[in-house]
Amino acid sequence: MSRLLFCGLMLVGWLAGCAVNPAAGPDEAALPEVSLEREIVVGGNSYDQALQKLGGVYPDPELAAYVDRIGQRLARGSRRPEPGYRFAVVNASAPNAFALPEGAVVITRGLLGSVENEAQLAALLGHEIGHLAAAHNTRELQRSPTDAADDGKTGYAELLARTGALTAELLNRSYSREQEYEADRLAVDCLARAGYSLQGAVQLQRTFSEKSAGASRRDWLGNMFRTHPFAPDRLPAVQRYINGTYAHYRSDRGLEPAAYARQAERLNATRAAYRLYDQAREAENRQQSDRAIELYHQAMQQAPDHGLLLTALGMAYLRKEDPVPAKRYLLRAVRVDPGYFQSRLGLGYLYLQDREAAAAVEHLEAAVKLLPTVEGVYLLAAAETLSGNLTRARQLYRAVAQTDRTGHLGQAAAERLRRL
């Protein structure tokens, strides 16, 4: 496999946001009911894949525990407390939040940085809990196949066919305005039951209103407001609901800026590093590889223990066909965060190029377990061929050929399968 082919493959999905493609489906009343058991299975898979696709978990355990603590407090008083709710902050700059089946709520680093106090954060998490409580995110589950062998694929082919497709639908689906209004009301209910100030919901809507018209409007339209449509009347609608339902409710919990200041400081400490990271990605998109590497170095120096920055730097060197620094930074990335697929994939490819079969299989196997992709399975097949494990190599190449029939990799896999 040529280095040029690999570089092209890696750039295809390098932490890029997916464009939304909301399909007009059948009326929800005509869709079959989804069991909680199926929601848990699919939700668990979607959650793991979502974390990988969005840059991995933001590396701050204290911040993660803080967000989870607030989310769990809200979830206990939600309309649907059955699933074991979990909350994660992912290392993505774009402002967004997602509710996935099985009670998983994901918020990006970029959106968390726009929150000014704990009550606003609670309102944000409560809104996503509201989507789960109202089963807004089960349409894709209702429309997805339930039989693992429906399409005739088995083993790795089945895994590849299913991996990512449903996750992409769940991450990119756009809620209707009516669903957004309902989630807003349920968020207010969650705040009240958890003892938070309801002004958190009002302030959050005010922030959304400002973002929809401010200098950062394009970034928000392409992310948060793409999946969560914003309408100017959401702010007065929330205020009317509070006035009509909670006229006698009084609480200031979560409004104190000082209580949130420590968490804001933790995010602010890496804000400059990730601003450089975003600039580097833009430079890469403009084919300015030297400038991108320079910016990645500056970002990494400001946050040296952040695996995403190390991975980005290593991958930039790899795309420039400079394997020595590529391997150095990818190795550091894996030491810092062994659970991120992209660094494992790049490192596995480098070991494959060096014909170090055992190391290549180790890292590519880890990459495929973290996020099964056609690229990962193809490279793993090549590594297994190098190792002499031809039976498994055939299985892997066959899976790629079946999954990517008309694609470049699928055709390459079919050719290699014929030669084995």
Side-chain angles (χ1 to χ4, degrees), residues 241-286:
Y241 182 66
I242 291 173
N243 294 341
T245 310
Y246 296 99
H248 303 293
Y249 179 88
R250 297 290 182 272
S251 174
D252 292 329
R253 180 186 177 91
L255 291 178
E256 310 85 355
Y260 189 70
R262 180 178 178 183
Q263 305 304 328
E265 286 173 5
R266 302 176 72 82
L267 277 175
N268 289 335
T270 61
R271 192 182 298 271
Y274 281 103
R275 188 177 296 117
L276 290 164
Y277 163 80
D278 292 335
Q279 292 171 6
R281 290 187 61 197
E282 291 174 4
E284 283 203 279
N285 290 336
R286 296 192 297 268

Side-chain angles (χ1 to χ4, degrees), residues 111-296:
L111 181 56
L112 191 57
S114 300
V115 172
E116 297 176 352
N117 58 49
E118 187 172 306
Q120 290 182 31
L121 175 56
L124 178 59
L125 296 177
H127 180 92
E128 298 304 321
I129 291 171
H131 281 307
L132 290 167
H136 291 162
N137 61 342
T138 58
R139 175 182 286 266
E140 278 65 41
L141 288 179
Q142 291 166 320
R143 298 177 62 190
S144 66
T146 57
D147 183 359
D150 277 350
D151 55 6
K153 296 184 177 70
T154 59
Y156 284 100
E158 176 203 331
L159 180 65
L160 284 174
R162 290 180 174 275
T163 294
L166 182 57
T167 302
E169 289 295 321
L170 290 167
L171 288 180
N172 290 298
R173 71 148 305 173
S174 180
Y175 294 112
S176 70
R177 288 192 175 182
E178 285 305 316
Q179 289 173 330
E180 287 295 283
Y181 294 140
E182 184 177 15
D184 287 343
R185 294 191 295 271
L186 292 172
V188 171
D189 295 340
C190 280
L191 291 176
R193 293 187 187 117
Y196 280 105
S197 170
L198 304 187
Q199 286 305 302
V202 175
Q203 292 174 0
L204 183 66
Q205 292 301 326
R206 190 170 292 126
T207 295
F208 287 165
S209 180
E210 292 168 356
K211 296 296 183 182
S212 70
S216 58
R217 179 174 182 267
R218 193 170 97 177
D219 198 26
W220 282 71
L221 283 176
N223 293 283
M224 186 68 182
F225 297 151
R226 173 174 57 78
T227 55
H228 297 71
F230 179 76
D233 63 343
R234 278 177 61 184
L235 174 57
V238 165
Q239 190 65 70
R240 285 195 300 272
Y241 182 66
I242 291 173
N243 294 341
T245 310
Y246 296 99
H248 303 293
Y249 179 88
R250 297 290 182 272
S251 174
D252 292 329
R253 180 186 177 91
L255 291 178
E256 310 85 355
Y260 189 70
R262 180 178 178 183
Q263 305 304 328
E265 286 173 5
R266 302 176 72 82
L267 277 175
N268 289 335
T270 61
R271 192 182 298 271
Y274 281 103
R275 188 177 296 117
L276 290 164
Y277 163 80
D278 292 335
Q279 292 171 6
R281 290 187 61 197
E282 291 174 4
E284 283 203 279
N285 290 336
R286 296 192 297 268
Q287 308 301 315
Q288 299 171 352
S289 59
D290 290 337
R291 176 57 177 162
I293 287 173
E294 177 187 353
L295 290 166
Y296 282 136

